[in-house]
Amino acid sequence: LRAQGKDDEAKRQYDLAIETQKKCLDPNSQNYTSDLLNLAEMLKDQGYYDKAKALYECALISCEEKFGPNHSKVAKLLNDLAFVLQAQGYYDKAKVHSERALSIRQVQLGPNHPDVAESLNSLALLLITQAKYDEAKPLQERALRIREETLGPNHPQVAASLNNLAMLFQQQGKYDEAKPLFERAIEIGEKTL
């Protein structure tokens, strides 16, 4: 239903599924957590951050109980929750969750995994939002390096990292540094379309 643009009907169906599962299933079951995440994602996309935050927090508790506090699924939820907190302007709380997600992924997946690059990117974007460019730059550069090494130089995620690093330079007025990064990102995009 979401893919058809029927968000209200999709939300009603998710709500119904969650209520049914509350009655029939253990709240820590995989289906229950999946439904919470699907609804949270949709609400986040629609800008209902308070509701999305509550669902992400519930799913996080469930996931931590099921898999432990340092599981890669917990890291994914922490990143999602950090995004919502950032959108609400709770930068300090978002940073705590982003840093924890990064730490979990580095330990669980190794320092050069693409998911580590995702966490680095998320944390860097949070810092850029706060105009903390000097803190964001090495994170963004490391994310780019990891993606180039693990995914190849022409991967769409490499283009995303190039674009993010270029935006960092652009926001600082460093247009000469931003331009070649934007151009390379566009070139990758043209090759992969």
Side-chain angles (χ1 to χ4, degrees):
L1 293 171
R2 278 187 72 196
Q4 298 171 358
K6 299 178 182 177
D7 288 343
D8 290 338
E9 180 61 25
K11 183 183 178 311
R12 281 192 289 280
Q13 293 296 325
Y14 280 134
D15 287 341
L16 179 61
I18 289 169
E19 285 305 311
T20 301
Q21 287 183 7
K22 280 182 183 176
K23 294 174 186 170
C24 302
L25 296 175
D26 175 6
N28 294 321
S29 76
Q30 182 62 38
N31 288 343
Y32 179 73
T33 304
S34 294
D35 285 343
L36 285 177
L37 292 175
N38 287 336
L39 180 56
E41 187 72 22
M42 186 184 75
L43 292 169
K44 178 182 78 172
D45 290 348
Q46 292 178 313
Y48 297 114
Y49 298 124
D50 285 335
K51 292 177 181 178
K53 178 179 168 278
L55 293 174
Y56 279 128
E57 287 171 340
C58 186
L60 179 61
I61 290 167
S62 175
C63 197
E64 286 178 320
E65 288 175 359
K66 185 171 184 171
F67 299 108
N70 297 314
H71 194 276
S72 59
K73 290 183 181 189
V74 170
K76 168 79 170 94
L77 280 168
L78 288 166
N79 262 355
D80 291 340
L81 183 54
F83 176 88
V84 170
L85 290 166
Q86 177 182 339
Q88 293 179 300
Y90 299 120
Y91 301 127
D92 291 339
K93 289 179 182 180
K95 186 176 181 191
V96 169
H97 290 310
S98 288
E99 288 174 337
R100 183 172 165 217
L102 175 60
S103 177
I104 291 169
R105 285 178 164 172
Q106 288 183 127
V107 170
Q108 294 295 321
L109 304 171
N112 296 313
H113 192 278
D115 288 351
V116 170
E118 178 188 350
S119 287
L120 289 164
N121 183 63
S122 296
L123 182 54
L125 291 174
L126 171 63
L127 294 167
I128 291 168
T129 300
Q130 300 172 75
K132 296 181 179 180
Y133 305 120
D134 291 339
E135 291 179 56
K137 183 182 176 208
L139 301 175
Q140 205 60 268
E141 289 173 335
R142 183 172 165 217
L144 173 60
R145 187 175 57 253
I146 290 169
R147 286 175 168 171
E148 285 178 321
E149 290 172 2
T150 59
L151 303 172
N154 295 313
H155 193 279
Q157 288 185 10
V158 170
S161 284
L162 288 164
N163 188 64
N164 292 339
L165 187 56
M167 287 191 317
L168 181 149
F169 289 132
Q170 180 183 14
Q171 289 181 12
Q172 293 178 288
K174 298 179 180 179
Y175 304 113
D176 290 341
E177 293 178 63
K179 185 180 177 200
L181 298 173
F182 278 132
E183 289 172 343
R184 184 167 166 226
I186 291 168
E187 182 180 315
I188 292 170
E190 289 172 348
K191 287 180 184 177
T192 57
L193 290 180

